[in-house]
Amino acid sequence: MRQLKHGTIELILGNIVDQDTDAIVNAANTKLTGGGGVDGAIHRAAGPQLKEFCLQLPADEQGRRCQTGHVQTTPAGNLKAKYVIHAVGPFYNERYSDKAHTQLRQVHTLALQAAIAHHCTSIAFPAISTGAYRFPVAAAAKTAIDCVCTFLSTTPGLSFVRFVLYKQPQYDIFSSTLEEWRMDDLDP
Ligand code: APR
């Protein structure tokens, strides 16, 4: 756990669906019609209403309701959280790793901003893109932690951000990344 100027960041080993933060973040795909991993677990726990909320969002001609690197917010159905912020992280490709990092950072920033826009003061994130989308965990942790710590150091609105890690090795990597984070790491 670390206390930053405007809020606290906490890491836990656990399941994203159990979180009672105002918002939880889904590791979604562009269609927002559900999937495996975090997406499947959230849709199962939230109940069929969540898919109905997603299907009400406008889709383009290819059925995409949210572009990569962007977020959409819906109510959370049967979950303890009030909102699900569906975040589409990048599929990791080593040849385009700069773009993947930019999109991963952007999706975290947009999720934090969406939570504030919906009057949430707390939010829980999974390790977006580190499963089916194959982002290396250490690299994803560095970007995700730096984005959230920078945000909580500079922007009022959220008092609590939690990362929910599903496996011990991921928890350990996020933990050491958080311990090592310094204000000096702030991007210009
Ligand atoms: N709670 C917290 N973390 C979880 C849970 C859970 N219930 N289930 C899986 N995880 C972890 C995984 O271990 C992984 O590290 O979340 C991380 C993200 O994995 P994915 O859910 O596969 O998400 P992502 O890599 O962003 O891929 C998104 O997967 O299911 C599809 O529809 C989804 O197409 C989209 C893609």
Side-chain angles (χ1 to χ4, degrees):
M1 186 184 296
R2 268 185 84 166
Q3 179 65 49
L4 297 158
K5 184 171 178 200
H6 298 288
T8 302
I9 177 168
E10 181 189 70
L11 312 180
I12 65 161
L13 191 58
N15 191 327
I16 192 77
V17 305
D18 296 332
Q19 307 310 309
D20 61 1
T21 43
D22 292 337
I24 64 168
V25 178
N26 184 15
N29 60 56
T30 54
K31 296 192 170 166
L32 302 188
T33 48
V38 168
D39 203 3
I42 287 179
H43 275 273
R44 279 193 299 278
Q49 254 196 318
L50 184 61
K51 192 163 175 182
E52 286 167 25
F53 290 130
C54 289
L55 293 178
Q56 282 166 22
L57 296 164
D60 69 12
E61 62 285 352
Q62 275 146 341
R64 290 181 299 219
R65 294 182 173 80
C66 187
Q67 301 294 325
T68 300
H70 291 262
V71 304
Q72 286 279 11
T73 306
T74 66
N78 296 332
L79 294 169
K80 292 177 196 161
K82 295 188 191 107
Y83 296 100
V84 176
I85 299 174
H86 305 267
V88 184
F91 185 91
Y92 187 79
N93 178 337
E94 209 175 345
R95 286 178 64 193
Y96 306 106
S97 77
D98 284 356
K99 185 174 179 193
H101 277 278
T102 302
Q103 288 177 324
L104 190 66
R105 173 175 287 274
Q106 176 179 300
V107 90
H108 283 82
T109 303
L110 292 177
L112 296 164
Q113 290 171 343
I116 291 173
H118 287 82
H119 308 289
C120 297
T121 58
S122 58
I123 182 171
F125 282 90
I128 297 171
S129 287
T130 64
Y133 284 178
R134 297 171 184 271
F135 214 114
V137 176
K142 202 159 187 292
T143 294
I145 292 283
D146 184 49
C147 178
V148 169
C149 287
T150 302
F151 191 93
L152 288 178
S153 301
T154 55
T155 313
L158 285 170
S159 55
F160 185 74
V161 179
R162 175 182 288 152
F163 279 95
V164 182
L165 290 320
Y166 205 47
K167 297 175 189 157
Q168 187 70 47
Q170 294 172 346
Y171 176 85
D172 293 342
I173 289 170
F174 270 72
S175 262
S176 55
T177 306
L178 180 59
E179 269 169 36
E180 285 159 18
W181 186 83
R182 298 285 172 270
M183 270 305 264
D184 306 346
D185 296 344
L186 276 181
D187 281 346

